Amino acid sequence: MSASHPGQHPGQHPGQQLATFAATLRLSDVPAPVVRRTEDLMLDWAGSTLAGKGSRPVESIAKFWQSQSPATGPSEVLIHRSGTSPLAAAAINAAASHVAEQDDVHNGSVFHPAAVVFPPALAVAQALGRSGADLLAASIAGYEVGIRVGEFLGRSHYRIFHTTGTAGSLAAAAAVGHLLRLTPEQMGHALGSAGTQAAGLWEFLRTAADSKQLHTAHAAHTGLAAAYLAADGFTGAQRILDGAQGMAAGMSSDSDPARLTDGLGTRWATAETSFKYHASCRHTHPAADALLAVMTAHGLKPDDIARVETLVHQGAIDVLGPVVDPQTVHQSKFSMGTVLALAAIHGYAGLGEFDAHYRDPATVAFCNRVSMTLDAEVDTAYPARWIGKVVVSTTDGRRLEGRVDEPKGDPGNTLSRSELEGKAIRLAAYRGGADEAEMRALIATMWAMADVPVVGRLLPAAV
Amino acid sequence: MSASHPGQHPGQHPGQQLATFAATLRLSDVPAPVVRRTEDLMLDWAGSTLAGKGSRPVESIAKFWQSQSPATGPSEVLIHRSGTSPLAAAAINAAASHVAEQDDVHNGSVFHPAAVVFPPALAVAQALGRSGADLLAASIAGYEVGIRVGEFLGRSHYRIFHTTGTAGSLAAAAAVGHLLRLTPEQMGHALGSAGTQAAGLWEFLRTAADSKQLHTAHAAHTGLAAAYLAADGFTGAQRILDGAQGMAAGMSSDSDPARLTDGLGTRWATAETSFKYHASCRHTHPAADALLAVMTAHGLKPDDIARVETLVHQGAIDVLGPVVDPQTVHQSKFSMGTVLALAAIHGYAGLGEFDAHYRDPATVAFCNRVSMTLDAEVDTAYPARWIGKVVVSTTDGRRLEGRVDEPKGDPGNTLSRSELEGKAIRLAAYRGGADEAEMRALIATMWAMADVPVVGRLLPAAV
């Protein structure tokens, strides 16, 4: 069906309504600004993925998949300029997407869609020779599904589970299922097979282990497999989301099935997705921007600051709290103190700032002056709004409050196409993933994606 | 290290003790009867896997992995007599292992070890050219780890999660990690990476979906990947099992860390594993055997029986309760009524009986005369002991009680090597997986496995 409101299937249970929406979505149903935003998100993703080149855990995952997979194939491994099977390319690109912590985030679901949607979507579009419009529609299906599943699973889920890993399997299945042109019934089976493979626990943060890259890879390849299997008649649980032995029953205590169908076809969650500005866990961004606002307003230098109390939501404490003395650059991206230190000292917590300065004595000293306190207003607004509030105590005894209502990169404070281009070029250059000329060509492709007849390589192949 | 009690590492937390045990286990530490039992289990697994040939969900998973993987390779796909990468072979063989419901089960953990341990272990042993002794030791490491993880996760986990899928990832990682000769520290990382990918929900049973085969495949390939990654330096959560955001925190409410190290090096859980006799969910076996005992003792025919009340543990009700009107042969293996009907009418609920008779009017009529009632004695003994109790009401008004304390196939009522050979040959013949001569050769290899210098193909390659 292709009704003007593709989300309305009131006779179906919520999970099947979501599946039907994902299967029947047409790009012509999607408002033009949402399509343009999807192009923005795809460019931002490509830059983030290229920034993963050379990262030890990413290259480890790539090495493993390449050892098990065809040495050539239709699907592009961005960081290596090689081709392999859709399955392996999806896994490797997904592993690379998230490590620089510069990929996008949807606030309400605390879910990073790009890392789990574009890798399988691009790999399969390339393998099947689909059009750019197909790739965009499939990606939007993936975003809309993954975000709603994340919202459905709720805050109790996110306390233990890495929603990008778990909801990510279903997002990947929706995107790939759309490219495979699954029927609504088949899409329901694909989501069932994805959901029963959904995994990802936060425990790894405590010892700065490499699991985050494994989670995005896992979501991408299990979701891709679920969709291919569904196309072949393989069945999955009908009520994998809200059934008595389904995902919410096992992995959530505050799930809300109404979120699965919230505004399907009229509310475009894709366009609610935020771009990252600082190269750190998104939970640190509101406070970092609030601190920068105070420093700018009062002309403070780092040494003027005796203490920073950040007023945060519980989720920030859950994720960032275990990181008390960051030992690796990746772990430091989950340290509120380190992020605020880099922002205060360098004006920006970017990839280069982390690599060069995360263990500087000045950074560590500032880090130790930062605390987190649960704040009722911030916690209540979260996750719909990520308010930043800080209380700065100066060395001369002043108490200064800072606040931002939308951190930079949020939909109401978004990045322009020019800013996005600059960010992508910097990310690609960071580890030599692609040079500026290559990125200019890739950017031109992205801005014309809706008219690309057959999705080809985004970058020239290795010679 | 190779101490005589390889499980004793009191300075380590329970999960690391288990990892150290798995990494340092030597076949010479294992009592000979346990090694012989492992050979029994491997033969039983090979037969079960060959019985999966031609099964629609199994072939669907095989088709997918073959489409994404090298067309040749060192690791054997038993049902197709082909070779491919270890990853794909592990996934396909694991998918095939469990569908006939004839593979082994460990009662205390409600975990099917063979389906998730032997597929990755064989695939990697073949790829690395390891010895039969290495394969046996690795398999024992996988059994001991998987069973203890299942016991640790407890009954609350099994109510929602398919323990074979979840604990199976860690079992697979332990077996493959042993073959890769991981250090204890690396093995800890392998278990961390496996545990953070662990998945599998029972929701699929409600609509007789195909997920069970996906779960074993998923456990095998994610565990294999976790071990290969650990060998390359990839790190995982140290306390993936009992950490504040680990598996038990997310997926259990009655976990017991003491179970992770219970008798390591002295208690051989591998040898506690039961062989299946009836070709159905193990939860049906105690009652089926108890019914057969009553019928034999009193010379009853099926038509003499008006009603059968089975007295069961809660786990049986959780798993079998949703299956009220089985629509597929696979679903009927989870129907207490169908299993008891086939046992009553044919004396045995085997693969052939299910295929030919699961929807016979006589089967359905008997099925509808069977009920399940929670029984305090049975439930308390479970899962350490699987007691079978039935109350049979006859058409002439008698009330007869039946009981078995160990269903056929349990360690105290096990199958002889001759019975195991017969079962494996029947399973291999069931869908033309292998003929008797081929199986006789495979059996000879199994009984000599401890002395095989390099593990080769179990069956002749396709011509």
Side-chain angles (χ1 to χ4, degrees):
Chain A
M1 62 142 282
S2 66
S4 59
H5 293 293
Q8 297 173 357
H9 304 279
Q12 300 176 345
H13 67 78
Q16 186 56 48
Q17 288 189 54
L18 189 61
T20 299
F21 170 80
T24 59
L25 178 71
R26 306 280 170 91
L27 200 60
S28 57
D29 299 325
V30 183
V34 178
V35 177
R36 297 290 87 74
R37 183 61 62 89
T38 309
E39 295 161 353
D40 294 351
L41 294 164
M42 202 182 307
L43 171 62
D44 195 62
W45 164 75
S48 291
T49 303
L50 289 164
K53 181 181 171 75
S55 154
R56 181 188 52 72
V58 171
E59 295 293 351
S60 198
I61 290 172
K63 179 177 161 189
F64 170 71
W65 277 95
Q66 284 165 339
S67 75
Q68 305 292 318
S69 303
T72 60
S75 301
E76 183 174 11
V77 176
L78 284 171
I79 56 171
H80 290 170
R81 307 289 184 94
S82 57
T84 184
S85 66
L87 184 72
I92 298 168
N93 288 334
S97 301
H98 202 39
V99 71
E101 296 288 344
Q102 286 279 269
D103 54 314
D104 62 26
V105 61
H106 182 269
N107 289 344
S109 53
V110 205
F111 172 67
H112 298 280
V116 291
V117 168
F118 291 122
L122 178 66
V124 173
Q126 290 176 330
L128 300 179
R130 295 294 194 234
S131 70
D134 282 340
L135 173 58
L136 287 166
S139 301
I140 294 166
Y143 269 67
E144 298 293 323
V145 165
I147 289 166
R148 283 181 178 78
V149 170
E151 291 177 335
F152 158 75
L153 290 169
R155 293 175 68 164
S156 66
H157 178 75
Y158 186 75
R159 263 180 227 123
I160 307 282
F161 292 91
H162 183 196
T163 303
T164 300
T166 55
S169 287
L170 292 99
V176 174
H178 193 279
L179 288 163
L180 290 168
R181 297 170 183 163
L182 299 186
T183 66
E185 185 182 2
Q186 290 173 325
M187 186 66 88
H189 291 304
L191 297 187
S193 292
T196 206
Q197 298 181 89
L201 293 157
W202 281 121
E203 181 62 25
F204 75 92
L205 280 181
R206 217 165 305 273
T207 48
D210 297 330
S211 310
K212 207 171 194 194
Q213 283 57 67
L214 190 60
H215 292 172
T216 50
H218 179 268
H221 72 74
T222 55
L224 184 150
Y228 272 79
L229 288 170
D232 194 44
F234 194 92
T235 60
Q238 281 183 12
R239 304 199 71 146
I240 194 65
L241 289 157
D242 62 348
Q245 292 168 301
M247 288 181 76
M251 304 192 278
S252 173
S253 59
D254 67 342
S255 66
D256 178 2
R259 305 308 300 268
L260 292 171
T261 58
D262 179 50
L264 276 179
T266 54
R267 169 198 163 204
W268 296 98
T270 305
E272 298 164 0
T273 304
S274 300
F275 299 98
K276 275 198 177 175
Y277 182 62
H278 303 292
S280 60
C281 176
R282 187 68 175 173
H283 290 300
T284 65
H285 293 206
D289 285 353
L291 173 61
L292 288 171
V294 175
M295 292 177 71
T296 301
H298 298 274
L300 299 180
K301 297 188 177 59
D303 287 347
D304 299 330
I305 296 175
R307 288 191 309 284
V308 183
E309 181 186 20
T310 65
L311 303 174
V312 300
H313 54 284
Q314 184 62 46
I317 293 171
D318 292 342
V319 173
L320 309 174
V323 185
V324 288
D325 181 24
Q327 297 298 314
T328 67
V329 67
H330 186 258
Q331 198 179 25
S332 75
K333 294 174 180 179
F334 291 84
S335 158
M336 180 68 92
T338 304
V339 174
L340 264 58
L342 294 173
I345 297 167
H346 304 282
Y348 172 62
L351 292 175
E353 286 72 19
F354 274 104
D355 283 358
H357 303 299
Y358 84 101
R359 294 289 284 169
D360 283 358
T363 305
V364 174
F366 195 100
C367 174
N368 290 333
R369 303 204 292 272
V370 175
S371 63
M372 286 191 286
T373 303
L374 182 65
D375 182 84
E377 181 200 7
V378 175
D379 194 58
T380 303
Y382 175 89
R385 292 165 56 223
W386 292 46
I387 301 170
K389 285 167 72 174
V390 296
V391 179
V392 174
S393 303
T394 63
T395 52
D396 59 8
R398 284 176 293 164
R399 183 180 182 282
L400 305 171
E401 296 187 1
R403 177 188 182 101
V404 295
D405 282 284
E406 289 202 78
K408 187 163 177 67
D410 265 16
N413 188 12
T414 195
L415 306 185
S416 67
R417 284 212 156 176
S418 167
E419 287 176 313
L420 287 166
E421 291 176 3
K423 179 184 169 191
I425 290 167
R426 282 195 305 276
L427 287 171
Y430 170 62
R431 295 281 185 96
D435 64 27
E436 179 165 348
E438 291 171 330
M439 288 305 289
R440 291 282 173 205
L442 182 149
I443 289 165
T445 301
M446 287 296 178
W447 296 163
M449 188 57 83
D451 299 316
V452 167
V454 175
V455 175
R457 295 264 174 130
L458 296 186
L459 290 166
V463 287
Chain B
M1 60 142 285
S2 64
S4 60
H5 293 293
Q8 296 173 357
H9 303 279
Q12 300 176 345
H13 67 79
Q16 186 56 48
Q17 287 189 56
L18 188 61
T20 299
F21 169 80
T24 59
L25 178 71
R26 305 281 170 90
L27 201 59
S28 57
D29 299 326
V30 183
V34 178
V35 178
R36 297 291 87 73
R37 183 61 61 88
T38 309
E39 295 161 353
D40 294 351
L41 295 164
M42 202 183 306
L43 171 62
D44 194 63
W45 164 74
S48 291
T49 303
L50 289 164
K53 182 181 169 75
S55 154
R56 180 189 51 73
V58 171
E59 296 292 351
S60 197
I61 290 172
K63 179 178 161 188
F64 170 71
W65 277 95
Q66 285 165 338
S67 75
Q68 305 293 318
S69 303
T72 60
S75 301
E76 183 175 11
V77 176
L78 284 170
I79 57 171
H80 290 170
R81 306 289 184 93
S82 56
T84 185
S85 67
L87 185 71
I92 298 168
N93 288 334
S97 302
H98 202 40
V99 71
E101 295 288 344
Q102 286 280 268
D103 54 313
D104 63 26
V105 61
H106 182 270
N107 289 343
S109 53
V110 204
F111 172 66
H112 298 280
V116 291
V117 169
F118 291 123
L122 177 67
V124 173
Q126 290 175 329
L128 300 178
R130 295 295 194 235
S131 70
D134 281 340
L135 174 57
L136 287 166
S139 300
I140 293 167
Y143 270 67
E144 299 293 324
V145 165
I147 289 167
R148 284 180 177 78
V149 170
E151 291 177 336
F152 158 76
L153 290 169
R155 293 174 69 164
S156 67
H157 179 73
Y158 187 75
R159 261 178 230 126
I160 307 281
F161 292 92
H162 182 196
T163 304
T164 300
T166 56
S169 287
L170 292 99
V176 173
H178 193 278
L179 288 163
L180 290 168
R181 298 172 183 161
L182 298 186
T183 66
E185 185 182 2
Q186 290 172 324
M187 186 67 87
H189 291 305
L191 298 187
S193 291
T196 207
Q197 298 180 90
L201 293 157
W202 281 121
E203 181 62 26
F204 76 92
L205 281 181
R206 217 165 305 273
T207 48
D210 297 330
S211 310
K212 208 172 194 194
Q213 283 57 66
L214 191 60
H215 293 171
T216 51
H218 179 267
H221 73 73
T222 56
L224 183 151
Y228 272 78
L229 289 170
D232 194 44
F234 194 92
T235 61
Q238 281 183 12
R239 303 200 71 146
I240 194 64
L241 289 157
D242 62 348
Q245 291 168 301
M247 288 181 75
M251 303 192 278
S252 173
S253 59
D254 66 342
S255 66
D256 178 3
R259 305 308 301 268
L260 291 171
T261 58
D262 180 49
L264 276 180
T266 53
R267 170 199 163 203
W268 297 98
T270 305
E272 299 164 0
T273 304
S274 300
F275 299 99
K276 276 197 177 176
Y277 182 62
H278 303 290
S280 59
C281 176
R282 186 68 175 173
H283 290 300
T284 65
H285 293 206
D289 286 353
L291 173 62
L292 288 171
V294 175
M295 291 178 71
T296 302
H298 298 275
L300 300 180
K301 297 188 177 59
D303 286 348
D304 299 330
I305 295 173
R307 288 190 309 283
V308 184
E309 181 186 20
T310 65
L311 304 174
V312 300
H313 53 285
Q314 184 62 45
I317 293 172
D318 292 342
V319 173
L320 308 174
V323 185
V324 288
D325 181 24
Q327 298 297 315
T328 68
V329 66
H330 186 258
Q331 199 180 26
S332 75
K333 293 173 181 181
F334 291 83
S335 158
M336 181 68 93
T338 303
V339 175
L340 265 58
L342 293 174
I345 297 167
H346 303 283
Y348 173 61
L351 291 177
E353 286 72 18
F354 273 105
D355 283 357
H357 303 299
Y358 83 102
R359 293 289 284 169
D360 283 358
T363 305
V364 175
F366 194 100
C367 173
N368 289 333
R369 304 204 291 271
V370 176
S371 63
M372 286 192 288
T373 303
L374 181 65
D375 182 83
E377 181 201 9
V378 175
D379 194 56
T380 303
Y382 174 91
R385 292 165 58 222
W386 292 45
I387 300 170
K389 286 167 71 174
V390 295
V391 178
V392 175
S393 304
T394 63
T395 51
D396 60 8
R398 285 176 290 164
R399 182 180 182 283
L400 304 171
E401 297 187 1
R403 177 188 182 102
V404 295
D405 281 285
E406 289 203 77
K408 187 162 176 68
D410 266 16
N413 187 12
T414 195
L415 305 185
S416 67
R417 283 212 158 179
S418 167
E419 286 177 314
L420 288 165
E421 292 176 2
K423 179 184 168 190
I425 291 167
R426 282 196 304 276
L427 287 171
Y430 170 62
R431 296 281 184 94
D435 65 26
E436 180 166 348
E438 291 170 331
M439 288 304 289
R440 291 284 174 203
L442 182 149
I443 289 164
T445 301
M446 288 295 178
W447 297 163
M449 188 58 83
D451 300 315
V452 167
V454 176
V455 175
R457 294 265 174 129
L458 297 185
L459 290 168
V463 287

